[in-house]
Amino acid sequence: MDILCAIDGTGPYSDSTYARDFADSHVNNLAKGWHSALKFYRRGPSLEGAATDNLAEACVTYARTCWKIMGDMADSAPQTFETPRVFLAGYSRGGAAVIEAAKRLSKLDIPIHGLFLFDAVDRSVAVSNVDEIPDNVVYCFHALRNPKAASREIFGNCGRKPAAGVSYNERFFMGTHGAMGGLPGMDVDDHGKIIEQGK
């Protein structure tokens, strides 16, 4: 069974407000539609981003546990169970968190079959050096806001330097940082509040 660990983007501190605002985000929809029961979805950090490291570690713990259980099952009954594949997905600071998770999983010799990034940004002191996609990642797909959209211009992107052997594909879209996360026509202001595009 395939394993998904997904971490969404930065949003309001209130979990109920966050759940409402991010109900149809790309990362949330990916998790809701995942084809196996082995899925981990977490809301992104609040504005200060202090939870980014903890989210990465929770992702690692879940992936490592599922990998071991499913790997043991595949070893004992290869005709019934396949070796599991691990997929990670993240938006905004959640993208930085899953890149950090991939780095930590690399040290555990756990491969990442697919890494899906939605405008990944590193705006947290809790993780560092998440510019590079580690070499345990097979495929990485990164959707980025086009600089011409003039959205969140102070946000630099991370996760754009693939290690040797990583099949890395990025594509730019004309939209806001919010739109890159699946929040069309909306963005987040400097206080974490969802605002309409153009306001």
Side-chain angles (χ1 to χ4, degrees), residues 4 9 14 25 34-35 38 40-41 54-55 64 68 74 80 86 105 114 123 127 129 135 141 168 181 190 195 197:
L4 173 68
S14 163
S25 74
W34 193 245
H35 59 274
L38 301 179
F40 167 101
Y41 169 84
N54 292 338
L55 288 166
R64 180 182 62 222
K68 177 159 182 17
T80 306
V86 178
L105 290 166
R123 295 185 56 76
V127 297
N129 194 25
D135 61 6
F141 302 91
Y168 178 81
D190 292 334
I195 56 173
Q197 183 175 343

Side-chain angles (χ1 to χ4, degrees), residues 92 95-96 99 117 120-122 130-131 142 144 156-160 168:
S92 191
I99 295 167
L117 301 174
V121 298
D122 179 14
V130 287
D131 290 330
H142 198 168
L144 297 151
N157 287 106
C158 60
R160 297 187 63 200
Y168 178 81

Side-chain angles (χ1 to χ4, degrees), residues 23-39:
D24 288 318
S25 74
H26 292 321
V27 172
N28 198 1
N29 281 329
L30 181 62
K32 287 188 284 190
W34 193 245
H35 59 274
S36 90
L38 301 179
K39 59 184 178 180

Side-chain angles (χ1 to χ4, degrees), residues 25-152:
S25 74
H26 292 321
V27 172
N28 198 1
N29 281 329
L30 181 62
K32 287 188 284 190
W34 193 245
H35 59 274
S36 90
L38 301 179
K39 59 184 178 180
F40 167 101
Y41 169 84
R42 292 294 181 272
R43 60 155 291 161
S46 55
L47 271 186
E48 69 280 357
T52 308
D53 179 70
N54 292 338
L55 288 166
E57 190 56 34
C59 182
V60 169
T61 299
Y62 184 85
R64 180 182 62 222
T65 301
C66 292
W67 171 263
K68 177 159 182 17
I69 292 169
M70 295 307 298
D72 290 347
M73 292 170 74
D75 289 343
S76 64
Q79 69 281 6
T80 306
F81 298 100
E82 296 180 354
T83 300
R85 299 182 302 174
V86 178
F87 295 82
L88 305 178
Y91 162 53
S92 191
R93 277 190 180 124
V98 294
I99 295 167
E100 176 64 24
K103 287 168 43 184
R104 296 178 190 183
L105 290 166
S106 177
K107 294 177 182 176
L108 300 171
D109 295 320
I110 297 177
I112 307 303
H113 189 75
L115 175 60
F116 307 112
L117 301 174
F118 300 91
D119 217 24
V121 298
D122 179 14
R123 295 185 56 76
S124 170
V125 296
V127 297
S128 61
N129 194 25
V130 287
D131 290 330
E132 184 174 289
I133 303 300
D135 61 6
N136 63 325
V137 175
V138 179
Y139 300 102
C140 179
F141 302 91
H142 198 168
L144 297 151
R145 69 196 181 286
N146 190 315
K148 293 179 181 176
S151 172
R152 311 299 260 177

Side-chain angles (χ1 to χ4, degrees), residues 11-24:
Y13 181 79
S14 163
D15 287 338
S16 59
T17 303
Y18 187 100
R20 183 196 68 220
D21 291 346
F22 283 74
D24 288 318

